[in-house]
Amino acid sequence: MNATARLWKLMLPFRWWIALAVLLSFGTLGAGVGLMAMSAYLISKAALAPQFADIAVIVTAVRFFAIARAALRYAERYVSHLATFRILTRLRVWFYVTIEPLAPARLQQLHSGDLFTRISADIETLENFYVRVVVPPLAAALVAALASVILGAFDVRFAFALILFLILTGIVLPLLTQRLSRTPTEHLIRTRAELNAVLTDEIQGIADVIAFGQAENFRARTRRLNDELDRAQLQLANARGMANALAVLFAALAGLTILLLAIPLVSDGQIDGVFLALLPLTAIASFEAVQPLGAAFQHREASRAAAERLFELIDAPPLVQEPAQFIEMPHNYSIEFRGVSFRYAPDEELVLDDVSFKIREGERIAIVGASGAGKSTLVNLLVRFWDAQAGQVCVGGNDVRAYRTEDLRKHIGVASQHPYLFNGTLRDNLLLAKGDATDQALDAACHVAQLGELLASLPLGYDTLVGENGLKLSGGERQRIAIARLLLKNAPFVILDEATANLDALTEQKLLNSLESFLRGRTVLIISHRRAGIQNAGRVLTLERGQIKVSAEQRVSDMRSAISVA
Amino acid sequence: MSIERRLLAENLRARKLLYGAVALSFLATALWLAFAWLFSAVVNRVFILHQTLDQVAVLCALIFGLIVVRFALMWGSDVIAQHSANALKRNLRERLDAKLFALGPLYTRGERTGELVRTATAGIEALDEYISQFQPARILAVIVPALVLFVILFLDIWTLPILLFTGPILVLLLALIGKRTQDLTARRFLEMSWMSAHFMDMLQGLATLKLFGRSKEQAQTIETISEQYGNTTMDILRTAFQTSLVLEWGATAATALVAIAVSARLMTGLMPFETALTVLLLTPEFFLPLRQLAIKYHAGTAGKDAAARVYTILDVPLTATLAPQTNVTRALLPTRLDIFFDDVQVAFDNGERIALDGFTLKLADKQTVALVGKTGAGKTTVANLLLRFVEPTRGKIIVGGIPLHEIDADTWRAQIAYVSQQPHLFAGTVAENLALAKPDPTRAEMIEAARAAHIHDFIAGLPHGYDTPLGERGARLSGGQRQRLALARAFLKNAPLLILDEVTSHLDAANEEQIRAALAQLLPNRTTLIIAHRLALAQDADVVAVMENGRVIEKGSPRALLEADSKYGAFVAAYQGGAR
């Protein structure tokens, strides 16, 4: 199914809104035609110096069309925009709901600056699909039919002439413009996305850009993209300007043609001269209906491109499937990896290569290894962000794929090296872990997570805004918030994935000490490249290039000498 | 000066082009008025005077000519208007980009990057329609009605009152409604950027949401926020619709009134038919430019708001903490990198937040100094001072006898190799990221630097080696790999001053050791500032300075400090796992 058809399907629930808007739009345009025709007729009739009674009806018609036009215009705009916002909301929710099962695997494959443009700009483009693309042609067709019938009643050639010029303006011209603007439009969209990505990169990395003296290079790059943008816009303005001017030209030509056709008929007495002004002016007035069609075609193109990009984004099978028949999580809190092999993409190397180990319920083990050895991948498999290609990851004695992902994740608390904080308050970020936590519960968690001092220093306390991605806080503070979340979540499985890597040594030690009583009795997996925090682990495994190297159990005391101490 | 004036004063070329476009449009309208008159003349001759087609052929040919010339004028006007918009946008973009660099990381970090990017892209683009369409419409809305009135003055003075009454009332109503629209549009723009930031936040944090089982319910949040946004916009649009209602009503009512009034006079024979028809055809032209302005009104307010956002950034003063303190900059560099921080204070937010206070420290040429201390002690601010991302609010920094602020910032930065706490890896290949440090490095140089940073083996193992593209922020690299790549970048730069901000915090012990060994070769030849809360690197420093509350509280060689009962000793003890 192509993008336009899918878009239509997405809009299907709004068909009655569309019908109503088309009718109102037709009414507005029709009243405009009626006003012009009746006014011209009124003047012509008056020129023949009749009695007032002869023109009373025409005067009423003129008044009626004048009032109807304004009232219908208001109604039409109101209805169509209201529908647009409903559609917009539906589009956003639809997109989120569709992408949600694909995350995070699918989103990590894409450049997020680009993703941002795509989603927010594309959805806003589609917002206009209905008001600017769907309604105008339908309303135009109705107006064209009406005007042709009126003119055709006098002479069928008038109707043909009108239809010819209406088709030229409403269909041929937009198609021509579309042809002329297709390449620049594509160029424009691509350049905009690229510019957005470059600027995101530049602004996020500005410290490194300046420190390396690369500001000039980056500016040159944006300048080049901007020049391309300008060029594309100029080509578009050229096509647009021509189309607008041609549309006006055709309307005037239609009027002139009908005038030229009508003059001999009036001279011959086949048509009463009183209609001579009315005929060309009715024709010209009806062009108001086809003038927005050029824009409609352009918006259709833009909508198609935007829709295609959005569909492309979501048209991927989820890497992780929910089980058709799931089992409940048992009260058995063990973890086992059985011969697990994994790679992120078919053309990439194995990140995990036949990894097997077991953590008994209530046991605490540490996995150490160089960065890039695949430690964090263990976590991704455990919480089912990805699925292993070979082997089994078992939790509570069953394959993780047997549980609903929601249940599984509810039982696992993870504090990672780069926790994500949402751009809201500290409280919002903590409540994420436990929506109904009281302030006392938050206090307790923050106390253990060594956030007491930070909180005391913040005038707004829990209501402090943390900034985009929590960047108003330091890396260490973000990590401690992640620990507080972990405490609040209170899950039987705990994973500390380099969870204290950004803390200074003193704070780290204090944190680990205060965390001790929470960890006791839970099944704990500690991932680390350093000694701190693993001294209380029952066993230490070493992961090297995706393989467990020291699979034999090794007491921590042995490790003390193995890992060099600073 | 209003934003509008300021925008127009911005660029002479843009202004000239704009007026050119307006002139062509105005001419096109004048031709249309001529068309109305000729058309009425033809109808009059045939209908009233019973002339034949042959007798009006010349007039019809004239009409045809008018139509064609008008077509060319309209087309030209549009293209020229776009040229004008492009000229203005180019100018603003350049200045915005330059300003962002001048403000540096301390400014961009605080703002939401999403909003900044939006201002730099969509914000500037909003000026496109503002210049190419709204501005011409605004001027035409004044001069075209004036022209129509002028013509009608000669044709039929009795129609003048109708237009003169409806016209100003319309303008008055528009002004009243327009003011409200303006306020609401500002709100809409804010909400829009806030909303897209929120949407992006949800998408970026999806993994976290899933871990907490909260991802599904966010659909509801998005719906609520989207509806809120829809409601705000409907509020604005309702006002806009009132505008169009008024305009539509004004134009149609005037047309109806004119038609009825001239008919009355036609019937009593006070007016010739030809004039009556011309006046009827001219009446909509009086209102048309006002209606067109109303259509563009949204582009106008959106453009003005976007311009306000752009100017907010352009007008951020380069305050004491950001700007070089004097204009006397020399290209001259000190021969020795003895760096002396003399009682330096750095305060942010107008003195509300003091990052450094009474900070005094000496780095001798080719010496390695390690700053240790708790998070928030001010260590990173010291690095920012050296990088000239921030300037002291009090005190000074002397390098080799020259005040640092007198040295040209870019020349100075060329002397520094810097690895930040969270080094940014750019979209591009590994090689492109390395090349940031040095223009056109050879592959051999890159490999050497990568080897020194212990990242070569990893890079060589990537599918395309050094030409493997990295995702945004090196999505597929672990923290340690990212940092080692940044370290390689710094090694490649091979600068005399090295600043390492927490470089080994993401490295495992073995790697940290290797980096330490690599640094051991590099350090003796250059002046180095190491910021460390992991202490392995501090041991190799010549001097360790312990910081607290923005100042140095302890200083000495690591060995001497360890022997004394020092804070440093406490740090080391904690680092070694409380095993002391």
Side-chain angles (χ1 to χ4, degrees), chain A residues 69 92 96 100 103 112 201-202 208 214 223 233 238 248 417 420 423 432 468 489 501-502 529 566, chain B residues 70 75 89 94 97 113 125 201 210-211 214-215 226 248 424 427 436 472 506-508 534 576:
Chain A
R69 163 99 174 163
R92 286 216 173 92
Y96 181 83
E100 192 264 348
S112 85
D201 218 11
E202 174 187 299
D208 287 290
Q214 295 291 312
R223 209 176 298 141
Q233 276 170 334
N238 199 11
V248 173
Q417 188 175 5
Y420 191 86
N423 192 354
L432 197 63
E468 185 186 346
K489 188 171 180 183
N502 293 342
H529 55 244
Chain B
R70 179 161 183 257
W75 186 359
K89 284 190 298 174
E94 297 264 311
D97 215 16
T113 39
E125 280 310 301
D201 200 26
K210 283 196 147 183
L211 275 178
R214 305 291 288 268
S215 58
S226 193
E248 201 73 62
H424 188 81
L436 212 59
E472 189 180 63
H506 301 307
L507 300 185
D508 56 74
R534 308 253 166 257
Q576 290 177 347

Side-chain angles (χ1 to χ4, degrees), chain A residues 111-418:
Chain A
H111 199 289
S112 85
D114 192 25
L115 196 68
F116 165 60
T117 330
R118 277 187 176 190
I119 295 160
S120 90
D122 286 348
I123 287 181
E124 276 161 33
T125 304
L126 291 188
E127 157 193 351
N128 294 323
F129 179 70
Y130 152 67
V131 182
R132 294 189 183 157
V133 180
V134 179
V135 174
L138 297 175
L142 290 177
V143 173
L146 177 74
S148 310
V149 168
I150 295 173
L151 293 183
F154 290 93
D155 188 307
V156 77
R157 287 178 301 161
F158 297 163
F160 284 137
L162 175 66
I163 287 172
L164 171 74
F165 280 108
L166 282 176
I167 287 176
L168 274 178
T169 314
I171 297 174
V172 177
L173 192 55
L175 284 174
L176 178 74
T177 324
Q178 184 182 36
R179 235 194 137 82
L180 290 174
S181 4
R182 176 165 284 160
T183 317
T185 304
E186 278 167 8
H187 196 171
L188 184 75
I189 290 172
R190 215 174 37 243
T191 313
R192 263 197 195 140
E194 210 177 321
L195 186 66
N196 211 303
V198 167
L199 279 171
T200 308
D201 218 11
E202 174 187 299
I203 289 171
Q204 282 177 348
I206 202 159
D208 287 290
V209 174
I210 297 177
F212 283 107
Q214 295 291 312
E216 219 16 78
N217 282 345
F218 269 79
R219 286 180 60 187
R221 193 142 66 116
T222 25
R223 209 176 298 141
R224 203 172 51 240
L225 284 173
N226 280 328
D227 285 347
E228 278 181 42
L229 206 63
D230 284 355
R231 207 171 318 129
Q233 276 170 334
L234 208 56
Q235 284 168 335
L236 284 175
N238 199 11
R240 193 179 54 226
M242 185 199 68
N244 287 343
L246 270 180
V248 173
L249 177 77
F250 288 150
L253 283 180
L256 183 62
T257 308
I258 288 170
L259 181 66
L260 290 175
L261 288 172
I263 289 171
L265 295 178
V266 171
S267 301
D268 295 355
Q270 290 180 37
I271 293 179
D272 188 344
V274 82
F275 297 112
L276 185 59
L278 176 151
L279 293 171
L281 292 180
T282 301
I284 292 178
S286 71
F287 274 76
E288 189 193 1
V290 289
Q291 266 159 12
L293 294 190
F297 271 88
Q298 278 194 13
H299 283 298
R300 199 183 74 114
E301 276 296 280
S303 302
R304 195 180 51 85
E308 268 171 12
R309 276 192 305 276
L310 286 178
F311 288 132
E312 181 201 328
L313 203 61
I314 57 168
D315 280 344
L319 292 175
V320 173
Q321 303 278 357
E322 292 291 331
Q325 278 185 318
F326 63 91
I327 51 178
E328 297 290 340
M329 292 286 294
H331 290 284
N332 163 7
Y333 301 129
S334 67
I335 292 174
E336 189 175 2
F337 277 66
R338 289 187 202 144
V340 171
S341 294
F342 178 75
R343 62 180 100 221
Y344 280 99
D347 57 343
E348 284 181 26
E349 276 184 53
L350 279 177
V351 183
L352 294 180
D353 185 3
D354 194 18
V355 168
S356 298
F357 66 89
K358 183 169 181 175
I359 314 174
R360 289 183 293 274
E361 181 170 343
E363 197 189 11
R364 189 181 309 180
I365 81 156
I367 291 187
V368 296
S371 35
K375 298 179 308 250
S376 295
T377 304
L378 294 176
V379 185
N380 282 337
L381 296 183
L382 204 54
V383 299
R384 281 201 82 203
F385 280 168
W386 271 271
D387 276 336
Q389 282 99 17
Q392 265 189 317
V393 179
C394 296
V395 164
N398 300 307
D399 194 308
V400 284
R401 282 170 283 208
Y403 304 121
R404 277 196 304 209
T405 53
E406 206 179 318
D407 291 343
L408 175 72
R409 288 170 193 154
K410 206 177 286 172
H411 285 76
I412 304 177
V414 182
S416 69
Q417 188 175 5
H418 298 291

Side-chain angles (χ1 to χ4, degrees), chain A residues 534-540 554-561:
Chain A
I534 67 169
Q535 59 265 46
N536 290 330
R539 279 182 299 156
V540 176
Q554 197 174 3
R555 303 296 306 174
V556 170
S557 53
D558 300 335
M559 282 301 294
R560 286 218 163 141
S561 51

Side-chain angles (χ1 to χ4, degrees), chain A residues 19 51 118 181 415 422 429 441 480 547:
Chain A
Q51 295 301 303
R118 277 187 176 190
S181 4
F422 291 89
N429 274 289
R480 277 178 280 163
Q547 292 179 317

Side-chain angles (χ1 to χ4, degrees), chain A residues 42-44 46-47 50 55 62 66 69-70 73-74 77-78 81 85 88-89 92-93 96 100 103 107 111-113 116 119 192 196 199 201-203 205-212 214 219 222-223 226-227 229-230 233-234 237-238 240-242 244-246 248-249 252 260 273-274 276 281 348-349 370-372 385 409 417 420 422-423 431-433 468 474 478 485 489 500-506 508 529-531 563-564 566, chain B residues 46-47 51 60 64 67 70-71 74-75 78-79 82-83 86 89-90 93-94 97-98 100-101 105 108 112-114 117 121 125 128 195 199-201 203-212 214-216 218-219 222-223 226 229 233-234 237-238 241 244-245 248 252 256 260 263 266-267 273 280-281 291 375 389 413 418 422 424 426-427 436-437 461 472-473 476 478 481 484 489 493 505-509 513 533-534 539 574-576:
Chain A
L42 174 64
I43 290 180
S44 305
I55 60 163
V62 167
R69 163 99 174 163
R73 168 71 84 206
Y74 185 84
R77 298 197 67 184
Y78 192 82
H81 281 85
F85 290 119
L88 178 65
T89 303
R92 286 216 173 92
V93 173
Y96 181 83
E100 192 264 348
L107 292 177
H111 199 289
S112 85
F116 165 60
I119 295 160
R192 263 197 195 140
N196 211 303
L199 279 171
D201 218 11
E202 174 187 299
I203 289 171
I206 202 159
D208 287 290
V209 174
I210 297 177
F212 283 107
Q214 295 291 312
R219 286 180 60 187
T222 25
R223 209 176 298 141
N226 280 328
D227 285 347
L229 206 63
D230 284 355
Q233 276 170 334
L234 208 56
N238 199 11
R240 193 179 54 226
M242 185 199 68
N244 287 343
L246 270 180
V248 173
L249 177 77
L260 290 175
V274 82
L276 185 59
L281 292 180
E348 284 181 26
E349 276 184 53
S371 35
F385 280 168
R409 288 170 193 154
Q417 188 175 5
Y420 191 86
F422 291 89
N423 192 354
L431 290 184
L432 197 63
E468 185 186 346
S474 75
R478 290 200 293 274
R485 278 180 182 167
K489 188 171 180 183
T500 55
N502 293 342
L503 300 184
D504 63 78
L506 275 178
E508 179 175 38
H529 55 244
R530 291 172 314 105
R531 230 191 92 210
I563 299 177
S564 60
Chain B
V46 177
F47 168 40
Q51 291 189 356
C60 290
F64 181 77
I67 295 174
R70 179 161 183 257
F71 156 74
M74 287 181 70
W75 186 359
D78 267 13
V79 173
Q82 184 66 46
H83 273 291
N86 282 1
K89 284 190 298 174
R90 180 171 309 135
R93 279 182 195 132
E94 297 264 311
D97 215 16
L100 285 178
F101 278 114
T108 53
R112 296 166 164 194
T113 39
V117 172
T121 53
E125 280 310 301
D128 191 281
M195 204 207 47
F199 201 55
M200 187 173 157
D201 200 26
L203 289 173
Q204 283 188 338
L206 249 175
T208 305
L209 289 171
K210 283 196 147 183
L211 275 178
F212 288 110
R214 305 291 288 268
S215 58
K216 295 236 161 60
Q218 296 309 319
I222 290 166
E223 184 167 353
S226 193
Y229 163 74
T233 314
M234 272 319 279
L237 289 175
R238 202 171 308 150
F241 299 160
S244 69
L245 177 70
E248 201 73 62
T252 52
I260 294 166
S263 304
L266 267 173
M267 282 165 66
F273 173 75
L280 177 71
L281 290 178
R291 288 169 61 190
T375 318
F389 289 163
R413 287 187 195 119
Y418 164 60
Q422 287 178 320
H424 188 81
F426 296 90
L436 212 59
E472 189 180 63
R473 296 216 216 169
R476 282 293 166 74
S478 72
Q481 287 158 347
R484 279 183 290 159
R489 205 154 66 175
K493 186 162 178 183
S505 59
H506 301 307
L507 300 185
D508 56 74
E513 272 313 298
H533 49 223
R534 308 253 166 257
Q539 301 175 84
Y575 179 59
Q576 290 177 347

